[in-house]
Amino acid sequence: MPVALYDTWSRTLRAFTPIQADHVGLYCCGPTVYDHAHIGNLRTYVFEDVLRRVLALNGYTVRHVVNITDVGHLVSDADEGEDKMEKGSRRTGESAWAIAERYTAAFMNDWRALNLLEPTVWCRATDHIAEQIDFIAELERKGYTYRTIDGIYFDTSKQDEYGFLARLDVAGLQAGKRVALGEKRHATDFALWKFSPPDTLRQMEWDSPWGRGFPGWHIECSAMSAKYLGPWFDIHCGGEDHIAVHHSNEIAQTQARHGTRLANFWMHGHFLTLDTGKMSKSGGDFVRLRTLTGRGVDPLAYRYLCLSAHYRSSLRFNLDALDAAQSALDRLRRVYVQWPEGGMPDTHSVARFKVEVDQDLNLPRALAVLWDVVRSDLPAATRRATVDRFDAVLGFRLADWKKDVSAIPAIPVDIALLADERERARAAKDWNEADRLRDQLRAEGWHVEDSSSGQALRRLDKTQ
Ligand code: AMP
Ligand code: ZN
């Protein structure tokens, strides 16, 4: 049975066959590095990692390309507002380049903590300005562009199929936006190159045939995927928010230049949402992996939580669900370490597991197969060898696990979230908010100390 994957382009489950025998080209839109990744972003990378592992399980060699957006992503996806990098620079007082460096490194740490396989290629937008300029020049030569006061735009009216991926009602959008368009000709047109504003000095800008400026956000993915995977490859992934704008625009550009829609399959992970209750009280709408892990939750427990929901259903994050995932992982580790090595996998269970993951990555059902094996009366060495096979997809690093879970420090997650929020307030130099959060922590029984390396938490004893 071949792998079946849900393709957003056709809105159907399709049997997967690679364009080139045994090789799969996989492009995943990466982070915009003006701030930390939140656990929602990370859910999408976990889904993509599992996809890659399932492809490998089926014998394919995967060439996995992930970009780093370090320029050009404006605050609004519709090319309005400030560049997120320059905004991040004003927030923290560091240069846009330093911010990109710092948050890229932080992102890579999260990546490794979640045991995501290293991509074949990481590519930064700012390292590929020449490729992006070439791409735009070619679009211009083919008659797809026009100039406005602030940049070079892609004319989406030149394509009958524009917006098909999102089933966009292009005429409806146009009617709704007519007044607010400015010099843009159509509501769905988008920037390929933005000019540096005449009165402000940008930190990130380059010369181009059209004047000094910087690339629009979408062009980097069309240019870099073509460079590393060719203009027609197997699978393109991202979060569901990318369907309507970013991926529709990547397709428009590549269609215009190369006559392809980039990828044979378009796959999208659904969102992680936050529970209203406790989480929003203390964490706002921004929770980092470090918020959870730095204070005692295992990053792989978050991975477990992600796998417990299908990637095409939204997942509501809350602390109870995270606790349950951590307990399940702990239970699994405790039994696993007792099983002796040297067995052979149970072929029937391996086949059952494979049926589930091959069916559009049905990880919740694959986890159920895992627990069936754990509870089965198969010999212990057989169970170990079988679960090892599963772990090649699940990525829980069971064979490496040595730590005693009872030794995990007990800082409650809601306290960790408050502390994290305070760290962010301090980074933004919002001292009133930072003080308010310190008082709130104190009321909850925790003292926070600041030092050059960050803040440390200490439990107050009852007399303080
Ligand atoms: P960004 O850093 O904003 O460019 O986003 C990085 C990736 O995270 C993209 O694939 C987004 O589609 C995805 N993403 C953003 N928010 C969420 C969320 N709440 N849940 C899951 N994925 C998300
Ligand atoms: Zn992209």
Side-chain angles (χ1 to χ4, degrees):
M1 281 283 284
V3 182
L5 299 174
Y6 186 84
D7 174 25
T8 310
W9 179 267
S10 64
R11 300 282 194 277
T12 56
L13 267 183
R14 291 171 53 210
F16 176 77
T17 36
I19 296 167
Q20 260 183 46
D22 302 336
H23 288 267
V24 177
L26 171 66
Y27 185 91
C28 301
C29 289
T32 308
V33 286
Y34 68 105
D35 201 340
H36 289 285
H38 56 64
I39 56 173
N41 303 132
L42 298 173
R43 180 188 186 203
T44 293
Y45 302 115
V46 170
F47 137 62
E48 293 160 352
D49 181 69
V50 168
L51 169 64
R52 173 169 165 187
R53 289 167 180 267
V54 169
L55 292 166
L57 182 76
N58 280 274
Y60 298 121
T61 305
V62 183
R63 184 167 163 80
H64 181 198
V65 180
V66 182
N67 69 302
I68 305 278
T69 299
D70 55 357
V71 68
H73 192 167
L74 302 190
V75 169
S76 129
D77 280 357
D79 300 318
E80 286 147 18
E82 219 177 339
D83 183 327
K84 289 187 177 188
M85 298 303 305
E86 307 254 339
K87 187 174 179 204
S89 168
R90 276 203 295 102
R91 176 168 59 82
T92 61
E94 287 175 282
S95 80
W97 295 98
I99 288 178
E101 218 37 65
R102 188 147 65 84
Y103 291 120
T104 302
F107 179 73
M108 305 264 179
N109 283 338
D110 288 351
W111 187 277
R112 282 155 203 154
L114 287 168
N115 196 25
L116 306 178
L117 298 174
E118 201 65 20
T120 322
V121 177
W122 288 109
C123 44
R124 280 191 168 86
T126 52
D127 289 337
H128 297 79
I129 299 296
E131 287 86 345
Q132 296 177 72
I133 289 176
D134 276 359
F135 207 116
I136 300 166
E138 191 59 21
L139 294 178
E140 183 177 49
R141 208 180 59 73
K142 292 190 164 191
Y144 283 93
T145 67
Y146 62 89
R147 177 186 274 267
T148 72
I149 189 161
D150 68 2
I152 303 295
Y153 280 76
F154 187 98
D155 184 347
T156 52
S157 72
K158 304 261 167 172
Q159 289 175 326
D160 293 341
E161 274 213 337
Y162 176 81
F164 179 78
L165 180 75
R167 307 297 191 265
L168 280 188
D169 169 14
V170 175
L173 283 171
Q174 177 69 2
K177 279 271 179 83
R178 203 172 292 281
V179 190
L181 278 181
E183 287 194 26
K184 228 162 83 160
R185 293 185 191 159
H186 314 99
T188 45
D189 292 355
F190 55 92
L192 296 163
W193 188 262
K194 292 278 267 190
F195 305 135
S196 295
D199 45 346
T200 33
L201 189 65
R202 273 185 58 90
Q203 300 176 41
M204 291 178 152
E205 55 178 12
W206 295 265
D207 285 325
S208 82
W210 312 282
R212 232 175 147 59
F214 58 101
W217 168 39
H218 318 294
I219 195 72
E220 68 177 87
C221 288
S222 284
M224 296 194 287
S225 63
K227 173 167 179 171
Y228 295 108
L229 296 170
W232 177 237
F233 55 91
D234 295 289
I235 308 175
H236 192 311
C237 293
E240 59 176 333
D241 57 323
H242 282 349
I243 300 172
V245 179
H246 182 51
H247 289 169
S248 292
N249 294 347
E250 282 185 40
I251 290 172
Q253 296 162 156
T254 301
Q255 191 65 256
R257 180 169 182 192
H258 295 295
T260 73
R261 56 182 159 87
L262 288 91
N264 189 11
F265 282 75
W266 282 86
M267 294 181 67
H268 294 94
H270 283 224
F271 261 30
L272 180 92
T273 57
L274 294 182
D275 235 3
T276 37
K278 228 173 175 183
M279 176 64 80
S280 60
K281 177 193 105 201
S282 47
D285 60 355
F286 195 107
V287 181
R288 289 164 53 190
L289 185 64
R290 234 206 60 194
T291 314
L292 309 179
T293 62
R295 278 94 172 177
V297 178
D298 190 313
L300 296 179
Y302 180 64
R303 184 176 171 106
Y304 190 106
L305 177 66
C306 290
L307 302 195
S308 68
H310 193 268
Y311 78 91
R312 279 197 298 117
S313 44
S314 62
L315 171 58
R316 260 174 79 161
F317 179 82
N318 62 56
L319 301 177
D320 291 343
L322 183 64
D323 279 352
Q326 177 81 66
S327 307
L329 184 61
D330 291 345
R331 253 194 338 271
L332 178 61
R333 287 165 162 169
R334 286 203 188 93
V335 286
Y336 177 90
V337 288
Q338 292 166 23
W339 294 332
E341 289 177 50
M344 291 293 286
D346 173 52
T347 48
H348 172 69
S349 303
V350 171
R352 273 185 67 206
F353 181 88
K354 188 163 178 301
V355 165
E356 300 301 354
V357 297
D358 284 357
Q359 187 62 18
D360 198 29
L361 318 180
N362 198 334
L363 268 297
R365 294 199 29 186
L367 284 176
V369 175
L370 165 82
W371 286 103
D372 283 350
V373 169
V374 171
R375 296 191 195 102
S376 72
D377 50 15
L378 289 166
T382 308
R383 279 186 276 170
R384 182 178 179 123
T386 309
V387 169
D388 280 342
R389 284 287 178 88
F390 299 170
D391 205 29
V393 170
L394 303 173
F396 297 148
R397 309 188 99 121
L398 290 171
D400 299 340
W401 184 73
K402 305 239 165 18
K403 206 164 75 180
D404 176 4
V405 282
S406 62
I408 287 172
I411 295 179
V413 177
D414 53 343
I415 298 299
L417 290 171
L418 274 177
D420 197 61
E421 210 185 326
R422 183 171 176 274
E423 209 166 86
R424 289 170 52 74
R426 278 170 51 81
K429 301 195 170 30
D430 185 349
W431 309 121
N432 286 342
E433 178 67 359
D435 287 350
R436 188 188 68 74
L437 288 162
R438 190 191 48 214
D439 293 346
Q440 199 176 336
L441 279 163
R442 176 166 277 274
E444 304 270 350
W446 291 82
H447 175 69
V448 53
E449 270 159 3
D450 298 313
S451 73
S452 54
S453 60
Q455 49 179 13
L457 282 171
R458 181 166 57 78
R459 196 147 195 30
L460 291 168
D461 63 43
K462 297 272 181 315
T463 54
Q464 278 180 301

